[in-house]
Amino acid sequence: MTEPGEPTGSTRRMPTVAPGDGETPAPVPDASADTRAPVPTLEQGDGRAGRFWSARRVPAALLALVLLGAAGLLLYDIAAVRADHPAMQWRRSLADGLAERQLDDVVVLIGAGVAALIGLWLILLALTPGLRDLLPMRRDRSEVRAGLDRTAAALVLRDRAVEVSGVQSVRVRMGRRRAKVRALSHFRELDDVRTDLDDVLEKAVSELGLAKPPALSVQVHRPAKKG
C-alpha cells in the first residue's frame, strides 16, 4: 500500500533500528574458529598398548552347554528317585563301577588325565589373550585402540621390499616379535641389496605404528640356477 502524498510505484524504505544505549550488537560467529572440543590425547611418549583379548565365545558356549546338559540330566534323575522311581541305568552303572574299581585302575587314570587336560586347557584359555594375528598399534588417543593384522603388515613390508633395486621376489613372515624377510636378488651385490633392504624395511616398520615394533631379520640370496 502507498500512503497519501507518495508517488505510485515507489518503494517504501523500512525503518532500521540502531543499537541504543546499553545494547550490544549480536556477535557474528567466526567460521574459521574451531568450536569442537579438543581430542583427548595421552601423555607425551606414552604409546603403550596391550594385546587384544579374545572373547572365547565358542569354548565358553560349549562348556556351558555341557555343564547345563549334565546338571539337567542329574537333576531329572534325582527328582525321579525322590518320586519313588528307579534311578537311571547310567547312574547305577557309574556308581557300581566307581565302587568296584581301584584308584590305580587304567580306566580311572585315563579319565582323570582327560579331565585334567581339559581343565588345564580351559585355564590356559582364561589366562591368555589370544588373537595372535592382531598386532596392537600405538595409542596416540586415550579413547582409541587400533590393531593391525599380521598378514596386512607382511604385505606392506613385502611391497616396500620389492621396490628396492635388484630385488626379484620377497617372502615375509610376520610374527609378534620378529619379521623374517627372505629376498632373492638377480643383480647387484648382495651386501648392497641387504643394506638397502635394511634401511627401507626399518622405515616401513616404524611407519606401521605398532606398539611393539618387531625386530627385522633380512636374508638375501641368489635365485637357484635352472638346469
Side-chain angles (χ1 to χ4, degrees):
M1 294 179 62
T2 58
E3 295 184 1
E6 286 188 359
T8 304
S10 62
T11 302
R12 183 179 179 184
R13 186 176 182 182
M14 299 300 293
T16 58
V17 179
D21 296 338
E23 293 186 5
T24 57
V28 178
D30 187 2
S32 62
D34 191 358
T35 58
R36 294 176 299 177
V39 178
T41 58
L42 298 174
E43 295 181 0
Q44 186 69 22
D46 186 7
R48 294 174 298 176
R51 289 179 57 189
F52 291 86
W53 281 74
S54 174
R56 311 287 192 189
R57 293 186 179 90
V58 175
L62 292 177
L63 179 62
L65 288 176
V66 171
L67 293 179
L68 181 62
L73 188 62
L74 183 61
L75 182 61
Y76 174 81
D77 191 44
I78 293 176
V81 172
R82 293 292 184 180
D84 297 331
H85 292 282
M88 290 184 178
Q89 180 62 34
W90 68 269
R91 194 155 72 95
R92 295 199 302 267
S93 300
L94 181 61
D96 295 339
L98 292 177
E100 295 173 359
R101 295 182 182 276
Q102 301 294 327
L103 294 179
D104 58 350
D105 190 83
V106 177
V107 177
V108 176
L109 294 177
I110 292 177
V114 171
L117 289 177
I118 294 175
L120 291 176
W121 176 62
L122 294 175
I123 293 174
L124 182 65
L125 291 180
L127 297 180
T128 54
L131 297 179
R132 298 177 60 87
D133 290 336
L134 197 60
L135 303 175
M137 302 179 68
R138 287 182 55 86
R139 297 189 65 185
D140 295 329
R141 298 290 184 268
S142 59
E143 297 179 356
V144 177
R145 289 194 67 193
L148 182 63
D149 187 77
R150 285 200 295 177
T151 303
L155 289 176
V156 172
L157 296 184
R158 189 196 66 180
D159 292 343
R160 294 295 182 86
V162 295
E163 295 176 356
V164 176
S165 177
V167 174
Q168 181 179 11
S169 63
V170 179
R171 293 179 58 186
V172 180
R173 293 183 59 185
M174 191 73 179
R176 291 192 300 113
R177 296 183 177 88
R178 182 176 296 275
K180 297 181 179 180
V181 181
R182 189 176 187 273
L184 296 180
S185 176
H186 56 294
F187 70 92
R188 294 184 65 196
E189 294 293 334
L190 296 184
D191 293 338
D192 296 339
V193 176
R194 185 180 295 107
T195 301
D196 292 344
L197 279 176
D198 288 337
D199 296 339
V200 170
L201 293 178
E202 285 179 2
K203 182 179 179 181
V205 168
S206 63
E207 291 176 351
L208 291 177
L210 299 177
K212 295 180 179 179
L216 281 173
S217 176
V218 180
Q219 297 180 2
V220 183
H221 303 280
R222 294 292 187 194
K225 295 183 179 180
K226 298 181 180 180

